[in-house]
Amino acid sequence: MADLKLNKASTRAPEKFDEEETKAALPAIYEELDELQNVLYAQGKYAVLIVLQGMDASGKDGLIKNVFSSVNPQGIIVQSYKVPTAEELSHDFLWRIHKHAPAKGMIQVFNRSHYEDIIVTRVHNMIDDNTASKRMKAINDFEELLVHHNNTVIFKFYLHVSQEEQHKRLDERIQDKTKQWKYNENDFIEAALRKEYLKAYEDCFKHCNKVKWTIVPSDQNWYKEYLVATTLRDALKELNMQYPGIKK
């Protein structure tokens, strides 16, 4: 992903996808995910970590709600990461992350993640390039640890939303009473730093890609949800998981 330029990457579904046909296909895909999650939980051999990153209003909350509503709530945990607390800042930057890594049999969703510590911190000049480089190495080592020492299957999704669609959604947080609780005046300040955020993400994709990233066009929620759901389904199928037999 060394040559990826996000300002040239599409934020919309490929033309071959029909909205109504794609929406109609989603319930069956969600049923497959539900069954795969049941086997994952019963077998207890693999852990699954889903990392969701993206600009404000890229649709992380809605994606979690719509894609994972069908799975057994006993087998999934969602962890949202916000500004670090004083306790978290007194530890290394991965301390608050590692304690929420998934156990075998579980799906763990990170709504934002350890990548905030090399994205937001760089955009706001909280760390220099040398520190960022060291953190990226630590992140690669951390993800390899989860993969090789806990059978963790990691999915990393960047929800790529256009500037126009982002502003539209932020405006909705002012106008729509059901979304006003999400409003934060700082969101518009962050949106104005789009160029800096895209640059930070591009560097992240270049240096933290041992576990590959999926760039998800996110202007259309139906396609965003379809792409994430099918990516998860296809990868989990390849694990060839089986229900365990009667314990002796």
Side-chain angles (χ1 to χ4, degrees), residues 10-27:
S10 177
T11 59
R12 300 186 63 80
E15 291 184 2
K16 67 178 181 179
F17 282 88
D18 178 80
E19 180 176 355
E20 295 307 316
E21 290 180 1
T22 303
K23 286 181 176 179
L26 281 171

Side-chain angles (χ1 to χ4, degrees), residues 137-174:
K137 181 182 183 302
I139 286 172
N140 287 332
D141 292 342
F142 169 65
E143 291 178 353
E144 286 193 335
L145 170 70
L146 297 184
V147 170
H148 296 300
H149 294 277
N150 203 51
N151 273 2
T152 305
V153 184
I154 303 177
F155 300 89
K156 299 192 301 193
F157 297 105
Y158 171 73
L159 308 188
H160 188 35
V161 66
S162 67
Q163 188 172 36
E164 295 76 17
E165 182 65 22
Q166 182 191 27
H167 286 173
K168 175 184 173 183
R169 294 176 184 178
L170 291 176
D171 285 337
E172 286 176 352
R173 294 180 181 181
I174 299 174

Side-chain angles (χ1 to χ4, degrees), residues 75-106:
I76 186 168
I77 300 172
V78 178
Q79 176 65 34
S80 296
Y81 289 99
K82 301 185 183 298
V83 177
T85 65
E87 180 186 20
E88 290 167 346
L89 286 171
S90 70
H91 293 79
D92 68 271
F93 80 99
L94 286 173
W95 177 78
R96 67 174 184 158
I97 307 296
H98 203 161
K99 63 182 180 178
H100 293 292
K104 291 185 178 74
M106 296 296 294

Side-chain angles (χ1 to χ4, degrees), residues 39-53:
V39 184
L40 174 81
Y41 186 84
Q43 188 181 42
K45 180 179 180 180
Y46 298 100
V48 174
L49 173 61
I50 299 168
V51 173
L52 300 179
Q53 285 290 146

